[in-house]
Amino acid sequence: MTVAPSQPPAARDSALARMAERLPLLRRRAEIVADVRGFFARRGCLEVETPYVVPTPGEEVHLRVFRTELEAPDGTRGLRFLHTSPEFAMKRILAATGVPVFQLARVWRNGEASDLHAPEFTMLEWYRPGFDLEAMMDETEALVRAILPPVVQRGTDSVEITGAFERLTMQEAFARHVGADLLGTIGDAKALAGQAGAVLRADETWEDLFFRLLLERVEPVIGRTRPTFLTHWPKPQAALARTDPDDPRAALRFELYVAGVELANAFEELTDAVEQRVRFEEDRARRVELYPDQDWPMDECLLAALPSMPAGSGIALGLDRLVMLAVGAPRLCDIMWLR
């Protein structure tokens, strides 16, 4: 019996031609992956692998997940998910071993698709015992400089990589670009709107307005001539980060922006299991309120491991975005093997 082809011959030929055209970019991707592994090997970090199919995919409020089902040999079935990040599993390894670890992990986030987003992509995560946020920024700078060319061109942006990266607190960014005392308005949407000269939309929360102003007024103007670390986020926006001891309204978190691309997200890690449980419960309640189908068990293994985890910092960096910037590709799909 002859099985009909899944694609017409013309479509298959076109797909093959597009891959052949992109082969130089894909070869460069493979080189960058090798360079990343070499960077961490030279710094004494151990590469690890964690499960992709998990009972708890993460606790982010707004990330949509992929569901699957685990069938045991005895026929029993259980709900499982493709993880949105290897963070929880890597923290358990860090708690058990105390050694610096990194991973190039496939991750899944449902409903995401654009020039900078894909539902399945590669995340580079690493965890450093003993690193504070400043040390993690230093190492991130070193990695980015090792991978990117001296000048990154993207659209009209020309970003110098060789010089010092900008380090800008969220409070400073909102004062400069929004005209608002961000931390002084936490939880008060009307106050933030008034200071920003923004019209508060119907049912818009402080969090909603914060992200709208971040997207509309801050992100478009940072990281355009040199990379920018946006640091010390409002505490409600950093569920797994330590509170800033110098200002309890802020958390020890940063994101890195290069040429209009959000490249990385880092925390000085919270190791207090009691506080972490409270934060998870708040996020879970909010998520189920907004998305009733997005519910799963809390990761009790992570919470049990946290007290044993050494103080330090961790970061997630979008490898595909790093490659895209390195080779000058306009879209994420240009540097993925199959799409």
Side-chain angles (χ1 to χ4, degrees):
M1 186 174 94
T2 301
V3 178
S6 59
Q7 285 182 303
R12 293 198 305 274
D13 291 346
S14 176
L16 290 172
R18 287 195 300 272
M19 182 177 291
E21 291 170 358
R22 294 187 297 115
L23 187 56
L25 301 182
L26 297 171
R27 289 187 185 278
R28 182 68 186 117
R29 177 192 178 98
E31 293 168 355
I32 289 171
V33 169
D35 290 343
V36 167
R37 286 195 161 103
F39 177 91
F40 287 107
R42 289 189 297 274
R43 288 170 174 252
C45 295
L46 178 65
E47 184 171 6
V48 299
E49 295 177 288
T50 60
Y52 291 170
V53 177
V54 295
T56 302
E59 293 292 2
E60 290 278 356
V61 173
H62 299 292
L63 292 185
R64 307 286 291 178
V65 302
F66 286 87
R67 297 168 181 266
T68 187
E69 188 176 61
L70 178 68
E71 182 176 347
D74 64 1
T76 59
R77 298 172 182 270
L79 184 62
R80 293 293 187 272
F81 305 86
L82 296 174
H83 69 177
T84 59
S85 163
E87 178 174 7
F88 291 1
M90 291 183 73
K91 286 181 175 179
R92 289 168 58 194
I93 292 173
L94 184 60
T97 67
V99 302
V101 293
F102 78 99
Q103 182 173 190
L104 291 161
R106 299 297 286 182
V107 298
W108 290 263
R109 298 179 180 185
N110 213 346
E112 296 194 359
S114 73
D115 287 350
L116 293 175
H117 297 84
E120 178 183 353
F121 59 98
T122 302
M123 187 80 83
L124 166 63
E125 291 207 16
W126 74 96
Y127 291 83
R128 280 295 211 160
F131 271 33
D132 62 11
L133 216 60
E134 293 293 326
M136 184 58 85
M137 283 190 275
D138 290 343
E139 185 160 76
T140 305
E141 278 196 37
L143 172 67
V144 171
R145 284 203 194 94
I147 300 300
L148 295 186
V151 177
V152 168
Q153 298 285 158
R154 182 169 174 80
T156 59
D157 293 330
S158 182
V159 183
E160 295 280 347
I161 302 299
T162 54
F165 291 14
E166 181 180 26
R167 301 186 181 190
L168 181 69
T169 70
M170 190 69 81
Q171 180 78 344
E172 293 167 339
F174 266 69
R176 182 182 305 174
H177 301 299
V178 179
D181 172 15
L182 176 67
L183 299 180
T185 68
I186 288 178
D188 189 340
K190 288 183 179 178
L192 180 56
Q195 292 182 23
V199 176
L200 195 62
R201 297 170 179 170
D203 300 321
E204 191 170 34
T205 65
W206 180 90
E207 179 187 52
D208 295 334
L209 179 58
F210 161 73
F211 278 112
R212 175 156 69 95
L213 295 170
L214 177 64
L215 291 170
E216 292 178 357
R217 302 194 194 179
V218 178
E219 289 188 351
V221 294
I222 62 174
R224 299 293 179 170
T225 58
R226 59 175 173 155
T228 298
F229 289 109
L230 192 56
T231 75
H232 295 79
W233 285 55
K235 184 177 177 180
Q237 302 308 315
L240 289 104
R242 287 184 58 233
T243 300
D244 182 357
D246 296 325
D247 188 341
R249 301 173 301 174
L252 297 173
R253 170 187 180 183
F254 72 72
E255 288 194 355
L256 174 61
Y257 295 82
V258 181
V261 176
E262 177 200 328
L263 190 58
N265 181 31
F267 298 147
E268 194 167 317
E269 300 293 350
L270 180 64
T271 58
D272 183 329
V274 174
E275 183 177 354
Q276 186 64 82
R277 183 182 294 275
V278 170
R279 294 192 196 181
F280 277 166
E281 288 173 347
E282 291 172 351
D283 284 347
R284 290 163 64 83
R286 175 69 171 153
R287 187 179 66 241
V288 173
E289 177 187 0
L290 293 172
Y291 315 108
D293 65 326
Q294 298 289 288
D295 194 19
W296 42 77
M298 193 178 295
D299 193 333
E300 296 292 344
C301 292
L302 169 66
L303 292 171
L306 281 183
S308 300
M309 194 170 84
S313 296
I315 185 168
L317 185 149
L319 182 82
D320 307 290
R321 292 184 178 185
L322 184 67
V323 173
M324 184 184 70
L325 292 172
V327 304
R331 301 169 304 170
L332 214 61
C333 63
D334 293 328
I335 50 82
M336 291 182 165
W337 279 95
L338 295 172
R339 43 190 177 155

